[in-house]
Amino acid sequence: MTEEYDVEFVERTDREARFLVRGVTPAFANGIRRAMLADVPTMAIDTVRFVENSSVMFDEQLALRLGLVPLTTPPVGEFVEDDTVTLSIDVEGPATAYSGDLVSSDDLVQPADDNVPIIDLKDDQRLEAEADTVLERGKGHAKHQGAVAAGYRHLQRVEVVDDVPEFEDEQSQIVRGVIEDDGELIPTSEFDHDLSNRYPGKEIELEDVPNAFVFHVETDGSFPVEEIVTRAADTIEARATELEEAVQL
């Protein structure tokens, strides 16, 4: 029998989203989280060739900074994990070299942000270099982790049980994530994470909704949130298929 999953976005932008998934086990939810961090390939600078570096930083320090600049990752099928793309940079001081000064040999691979500072160059200082990017996975190096934040919490259901007794002080009740109230999904940020702000004068009960998890995912701009989630699910499916084939041999 095929499992039925239900996905509903609570908040969403290109780089950050909060969404609810129903019908999954804790193990599967954690598998998706780990796959987003470790198994989705992204482009990052791997090798740097310096033509001129008269700044105050060593080549190795600049290479590290360049390697951590997030790059857009092409759609599936455009590149394989052995392919490379070359980026170049040539900035002369007095000026600040930014990620936006990187010029790519392929339009599909560009700095995800143009305003990441690399080095502040003074008079008569220059940075000229070429860099090769590679497509690899986050489990090999943190610079390939497209998801800079990936976590989940149980969806919690709220029930009002009674009024607070007349002479009893109302206590703060802090909760973070998303609550479900009469079928409505409400981010706790809307009431400053304090249930006493949303339900003043009320006694309430909270319970975890079984097999319902709220994910909070933020990317570095390599690709949109929806894509990193679907790519993570694809990697789990691929590994499951490999295991099934291996068991049948």
Side-chain angles (χ1 to χ4, degrees):
M1 182 175 66
T2 302
E3 295 286 349
E4 292 294 333
Y5 303 119
D6 181 48
V7 180
E8 182 178 351
F9 278 90
V10 182
E11 301 169 309
R12 175 167 53 180
T13 64
D14 283 344
R15 295 198 182 187
E16 187 174 4
R18 199 183 303 269
F19 57 93
L20 168 66
V21 183
R22 298 182 191 266
V24 297
T25 64
F28 187 82
N30 192 48
I32 286 288
R33 180 192 68 83
R34 290 175 61 90
M36 284 189 284
L37 292 171
D39 292 338
V40 179
T42 68
M43 281 286 191
I45 289 174
D46 185 65
T47 304
V48 182
R49 297 178 295 277
F50 288 93
V51 178
E52 180 178 346
N53 175 22
S54 50
S55 72
V56 296
M57 272 193 180
F58 293 117
D59 292 354
E60 293 81 2
Q61 292 175 296
L62 285 172
L64 175 63
R65 289 193 173 190
L66 289 168
L68 293 176
V69 172
L71 303 175
T72 57
T73 297
V76 175
E78 292 289 342
F79 290 92
V80 297
E81 293 190 34
D82 290 333
D83 291 343
T84 63
V85 172
T86 300
L87 289 85
S88 61
I89 187 169
D90 187 357
V91 179
E92 188 171 355
T96 299
Y98 289 95
S99 54
D101 295 313
L102 288 164
V103 179
S104 176
S105 63
D106 194 308
D107 290 339
L108 294 176
V109 181
Q110 301 286 345
D113 291 297
D114 290 337
N115 58 351
V116 178
I118 298 172
I119 182 68
D120 188 23
L121 300 170
K122 306 302 182 183
D123 289 332
D124 300 323
Q125 293 181 349
R126 184 179 181 186
L127 171 62
E128 183 180 1
E130 287 187 346
D132 292 334
T133 70
V134 294
L135 184 67
E136 291 186 2
R137 301 170 190 269
K139 60 187 176 184
H141 196 289
K143 66 185 179 183
H144 293 286
Q145 288 185 355
V148 295
Y152 61 90
R153 298 174 183 265
H154 264 290
L155 175 66
Q156 294 186 298
R157 183 178 292 126
V158 176
E159 182 181 355
V160 177
V161 294
D162 206 345
D163 292 331
V164 175
E166 185 176 356
F167 298 106
E168 183 175 317
D169 291 334
E170 186 174 4
Q171 301 294 320
S172 295
Q173 190 166 356
I174 304 300
V175 61
R176 297 185 182 278
V178 174
I179 62 171
E180 184 179 41
D181 183 2
D182 196 24
E184 182 183 3
L185 299 178
I186 305 161
T188 59
S189 58
E190 291 189 4
F191 47 86
D192 200 25
H193 310 290
D194 187 348
L195 289 171
S196 64
N197 292 333
R198 179 171 174 82
Y199 306 95
K202 301 294 183 181
E203 286 189 2
I204 59 175
E205 288 185 353
L206 276 176
E207 64 174 359
D208 291 341
V209 180
N211 297 330
F213 299 92
V214 178
F215 285 81
H216 179 212
V217 180
E218 183 178 352
T219 80
D220 63 358
S222 301
F223 24 56
V225 170
E226 294 94 329
E227 190 165 353
I228 198 170
V229 175
T230 55
R231 289 194 187 196
D234 288 343
T235 65
I236 293 177
E237 181 182 13
R239 282 188 292 167
T241 301
E242 289 177 5
L243 177 60
E244 181 182 19
E245 293 173 352
V247 170
Q248 291 175 350
L249 291 178

